[in-house]
Amino acid sequence: MSEDRHLSDLLTFLDVATSPRQAVDEAVRLLSGFGFEELDETAQWVGTGGGRLVRRGGTLVAWTSPGSSEPGPHTPFRLVGAHTDSPGLRIRPIPDTGAVGYRQLAVEVYGGTLLNSWLDRDLGISGSVVVGRGPERRSVPLRIDRPLMRIPQLAIHLDRDVNKGLTLDPQRHLTPVWALGDVREGALVEFLASELDLPPGEIRSWNLVAHDVSPAVRLGADREFYASGRIDNLVSCHSALRAITSPAPTANTGGEGAPTAMVVLFDHEEIGSTSSSGAAGALLPAVLQRLVASRGGAAADLHRAVASSWCLSVDGAHATHPNYADRHEPGHHITLNGGPVIKLNANQRYATDSVGQALFADICDELEIPHQLYSHRNDIPCGSTIGPLTAANLGMATIDVGAPQLSMHSAREMAGARDPAM
């Protein structure tokens, strides 16, 4: 796939994947088109070769084994990990609120959000809604991709010092407006029911996010950039999905024979990954154990497989900002369209070690893809990824890499148009 086609495909994915639920649903749709079979976590797994997947909420694990023969119990894994969630605003369980004649929706800040970036944006709602009771209870996707609500900024005439520094109280200043009138309990439930063509009594609960309805776009005088919500980290999810469904370029990865290619797209990375479907949970270790067991292996075979496996933790990387170059480590300049970034941190905020750095660099060189090295300033706390958690939970060699971007954790981020394909 050419760079332009890859980017066009990514922009479509970004527009559809407006919440972790929509990202996983779209991933399943894409993988199913390539013959991947969805497995039930509660069922016995027999014959797990070929393309298979499991999903749990906003998390997906997919794998494929090359060749016609069933993999052995200690066949190594080549795992790519990313995450489906992004910082933003989530709809509260009791949402109906308002003031001075405006009806509003109560929201909760999710993750390390750039709060100001959510002001004056046309917002839709997406995620999932639980409907029905007892055996009929089920989670259904919901995506309202039209301007539904907005958080209006205070006019400069009422805050003359605003340009000296905007201070937002997340409790008071981030409540979206969506109608006029008195607050009416149950208004959102009625609205959701109408969107789903259900009686209001069928709506039980939800996991819904606000999303910017502006489409992903290519921009720049020479069309060198693209902008969208959720670039962190849907660009990595998309690249992983395209990699596992595409013929792989030949590269020397150690000579252990054909490994099992695996993609895991986690939810809840932006809030620490501590959940039943996050990178700190038991889902991925359980899947690996079950795969080895389905191939006739025991605990020792799992340890042998893990010892010869590699994990790429793929997440966003900070490009050097032209207006804030002093916030970056001066010896490690990162450019958009400069190729994948290998992320290193002496304090293990990233999991890359020197061997992993050399391995990834060798593969980039072999495939004639440029790469860059990221190191964080000493006087600013460094973020982290699923990499250290995955490495610690599995004992698997892990390399943290990513595509460079600007405006990380904004409602609308910016990156280089050539980087996704690389």
Side-chain angles (χ1 to χ4, degrees):
M1 186 181 289
S2 69
E3 285 183 350
D4 285 347
R5 281 192 60 200
H6 185 98
L7 182 67
S8 177
D9 193 65
L10 168 62
L11 299 186
T12 299
F13 181 75
L14 288 165
D15 285 343
V16 172
T18 48
S19 85
R21 173 61 185 266
Q22 274 67 46
V24 167
D25 284 355
E26 181 64 10
V28 171
R29 186 196 68 78
L30 189 156
L31 292 170
S32 297
F34 285 88
F36 281 70
E37 176 187 348
E38 184 169 358
L39 300 179
D40 183 350
E41 276 195 86
T42 66
Q44 182 74 22
W45 292 359
V46 179
T48 53
R52 307 294 176 95
L53 67 91
V54 293
R55 59 172 152 175
R56 183 188 293 181
T59 294
L60 174 139
V61 186
W63 62 90
T64 184
S65 302
S68 57
S69 59
E70 187 76 8
H74 49 80
T75 298
F77 297 95
R78 294 291 176 265
L79 194 153
V80 175
H83 65 88
T84 59
D85 62 321
S86 299
L89 306 175
R90 302 288 177 106
I91 308 298
R92 289 190 184 272
I94 301 175
D96 300 300
T97 187
V100 296
Y102 292 94
R103 288 162 54 195
Q104 296 172 273
L105 292 181
V107 295
E108 186 173 3
V109 176
Y110 178 89
T113 306
L114 278 173
L115 299 179
N116 64 293
S117 69
W118 288 89
L119 303 178
D120 296 332
R121 292 192 179 276
D122 299 332
L123 304 176
I125 293 177
S126 55
S128 59
V129 178
V130 175
V131 302
R133 295 174 183 271
E136 303 300 317
R137 186 174 55 247
R138 66 196 189 279
S139 174
V140 297
L142 176 70
R143 178 167 166 261
I144 306 173
D145 196 36
R146 64 179 187 270
L148 183 64
M149 54 189 183
R150 187 179 177 93
I151 306 171
Q153 190 166 188
L154 185 65
I156 193 170
H157 313 82
L158 304 178
D159 184 3
R160 291 292 184 177
D161 294 327
V162 64
N163 288 326
K164 296 179 181 179
L166 175 64
T167 300
L168 293 173
D169 181 337
Q171 181 66 22
R172 297 187 298 124
H173 299 151
L174 292 178
T175 309
V177 171
W178 78 311
L180 288 171
D182 295 332
V183 178
R184 183 163 52 85
E185 184 178 350
L188 179 63
V189 168
E190 293 175 9
F191 179 80
L192 297 177
S194 68
E195 290 291 320
L196 293 169
D197 196 23
L198 292 170
E202 288 288 290
I203 305 296
R204 304 297 311 285
S205 57
W206 52 76
N207 186 358
L208 294 172
V209 311
H211 71 270
D212 181 3
V213 300
S214 302
V217 296
R218 194 164 182 171
L219 73 151
D222 297 314
R223 294 170 55 80
E224 295 175 287
F225 313 112
Y226 70 102
S228 175
R230 305 170 299 282
I231 288 175
D232 174 16
N233 186 31
L234 293 183
V235 62
S236 304
C237 296
H238 175 264
S239 292
L241 293 167
R242 281 304 175 196
I244 203 171
T245 56
S246 302
T250 300
N252 179 14
T253 58
E256 301 94 340
T260 295
M262 177 174 281
V263 164
V264 55
L265 310 180
F266 285 115
D267 201 354
H268 302 137
E269 189 273 347
E270 297 291 359
I271 54 172
S273 295
T274 305
S275 71
S276 64
S277 54
L283 177 59
L284 179 57
V287 169
L288 295 179
Q289 291 166 11
R290 296 186 69 178
L291 282 179
V292 170
S294 73
R295 299 167 181 178
D301 296 295
L302 174 62
H303 297 318
R304 290 179 65 187
V306 168
S308 56
S309 298
W310 285 92
C311 171
L312 284 185
S313 163
V314 192
D315 206 339
H318 295 291
T320 303
H321 197 300
N323 298 339
Y324 300 92
D326 60 319
R327 298 298 183 97
H328 301 266
E329 173 57 31
H332 294 75
H333 181 67
I334 303 297
T335 64
L336 299 183
N337 293 328
V341 179
I342 306 173
K343 302 192 288 186
L344 301 110
N345 184 264
N347 296 295
Q348 288 295 291
R349 301 295 289 169
Y350 306 129
T352 314
D353 63 13
S354 56
V355 175
Q357 175 188 341
L359 171 61
F360 192 82
D362 284 348
I363 294 173
C364 286
D365 291 344
E366 192 171 332
L367 300 177
E368 298 182 343
I369 296 171
H371 66 275
Q372 308 179 78
L373 300 178
Y374 181 82
S375 185
H376 204 71
R377 287 184 65 94
N378 287 318
D379 53 358
I380 299 176
C382 183
S384 191
T385 68
I386 64 167
L389 291 171
T390 305
N393 278 356
L394 300 179
M396 185 182 293
T398 302
I399 310 168
D400 265 300
V401 301
Q405 65 175 102
L406 298 170
S407 305
M408 189 181 290
H409 287 200
S410 171
R412 195 161 178 86
E413 300 166 319
M414 176 178 174
R418 295 189 59 206
D419 281 313
M422 287 194 282

